[in-house]
Amino acid sequence: MPVSPLAPAKIAALPAIDGVTVATAAAGVRYTGRTDVMLAVLAPGSAVAGVFTRSATRSANVLDCQTKLGGDPADGAAILVNSGNSNAFTGRHGDGSVAAICQAVAQALAIDQQRVFTASTGVIGEPLPHNRIVAKVGALAEGQTAGGLNAAAEAIMTTDTFPKAASAVVDVDGKPVTIAGIAKGSGMIAPDMATMLVYIFTDAVISQNALQTLLAELNAKTFNCITVDSDTSTSDTLMMGATGASGVDVTGNATFADALHSVMLDLAHQVVRDGEGATKFVTVDVTSATNDDDARKVALAIANSPLVKTAIAGEDPNWGRVVMAVGKSGAVADRDRLCIRFGDILVAENGWVAPDYTEEAGAAYMKNAELAITVDMGLGNGTSTVWTCDLTHGYIQINADYRS
């Protein structure tokens, strides 16, 4: 599969996080000739936080992880992820797969099974061949290395065309604190918590409760503000581990929070840039709505509209479709107060096309790989920003053949 034209020029080389080791393996869950399992091990004392999909059909792995958050950090923790099969909608078999994998990891690492977290991504509704994964656990435990996060990013890919990685090193009270994260996601992206699978690690000192609060707050501004196709996955998982190895307490520290926000936003944008079949990266800004909730409704209505997205794919400045999306959003709107811009180009205002707007200018702008659609509602102080991509023939081809 060709790499997305929106991919970064270079994949970030992730630093090792003190207190975190990683290994990968080829278990043959679905793919041949590539790694498809990763195991990350966190040192004793590590805090673990997570945010998960709110899907009513969430996977056995997600349900298991949700019950384990907030456990005793004395043992440390382990995170095992496989690609190729989501272990979702697999009934009791799915629960058994999670239990078998967690037990194997706990035994191999001599840690409490309650501190083993798993995730699966891939095809829905097919039993997970967990014995293939269990058979690799011993090698994964023995092969742990301090610098394996980039390899882990590759192991968790499904229809992704490039591994997603981001990091930051910040100065907190004169001491360095490191953050590194990986993600996978390309389709079935309209998160109701996070997106697909995201794992972030830091050597900072922070309690589980404080980390959980911060992660949820920043998730609302990053992964919950992207959409590729309006579909929320059964497996969406965002987890973060803080080992405390730096000795630097970041509780309530704005510098650390800003750095973590930057890493999360970078990963979220990479997911959109790798949207299945995507050729355009689109920022949708809504301002002056009645409130933030209404602004979000409008932004998502625009970003999720197949008509808007296909117009963008065809480089057609069809601003009437943006008007349509505003009207269907359910938000309070006044036709005669709407103001629409494509980039810096004023397209429509006062309930009509702007006097100086030309179709030629709009068409020229739409040829850019990165686009901005701004809607000023003219009603209040509500704002929202959502990131999305276009909808192309490539998306159909990928998803028509996904299980083949």
Side-chain angles (χ1 to χ4, degrees), residues 284-289 294-295 298-299 302 373-375 377 382-385:
V284 180
D285 279 312
V286 177
T287 63
S288 302
D294 265 14
V298 173
I302 295 168
I373 299 173
T374 302
V375 175
M377 302 291 288
T383 63
S384 180
T385 301

Side-chain angles (χ1 to χ4, degrees), residues 286-302 325-326 328-334 375 377 379-384 386:
V286 177
T287 63
S288 302
T290 301
N291 52 50
D292 288 349
D293 286 343
D294 265 14
R296 181 175 172 82
K297 288 178 183 177
V298 173
L300 286 173
I302 295 168
V326 173
K328 75 166 186 176
S329 69
V332 175
D334 183 332
V375 175
M377 302 291 288
L379 297 173
N381 298 316
T383 63
S384 180
V386 168

Side-chain angles (χ1 to χ4, degrees), residues 230-326:
S230 81
D231 287 331
T232 296
S233 169
T234 59
S235 306
D236 289 341
T237 297
L238 163 62
M239 295 193 73
M240 183 169 180
T243 68
S246 69
V248 181
D249 193 331
V250 299
T251 305
N253 186 279
T255 300
F256 176 80
D258 288 345
L260 179 55
H261 175 263
S262 176
V263 169
M264 291 171 67
L265 189 60
D266 189 344
L267 291 171
H269 283 185
Q270 288 185 55
V271 170
V272 173
R273 291 180 181 280
D274 202 17
E276 290 170 341
T279 65
K280 308 284 188 181
F281 179 84
V282 186
T283 301
V284 180
D285 279 312
V286 177
T287 63
S288 302
T290 301
N291 52 50
D292 288 349
D293 286 343
D294 265 14
R296 181 175 172 82
K297 288 178 183 177
V298 173
L300 286 173
I302 295 168
N304 283 328
S305 167
L307 288 177
V308 172
K309 292 162 77 70
T310 49
I312 292 170
E315 299 181 341
D316 177 10
N318 193 338
W319 58 271
R321 293 183 177 180
V322 176
V323 174
M324 172 279 299
V326 173

Side-chain angles (χ1 to χ4, degrees), residues 77-120:
I79 299 172
L80 184 144
V81 183
N82 74 267
S83 58
N85 183 306
S86 72
N87 196 33
F89 210 72
T90 50
R92 292 182 179 178
H93 187 283
D95 297 332
S97 294
V98 171
I101 293 169
C102 288
Q103 182 178 20
V105 172
Q107 289 177 348
L109 299 175
I111 64 173
D112 189 333
Q113 192 168 325
Q114 289 297 112
R115 294 293 286 174
V116 179
F117 302 90
T118 67
S120 299

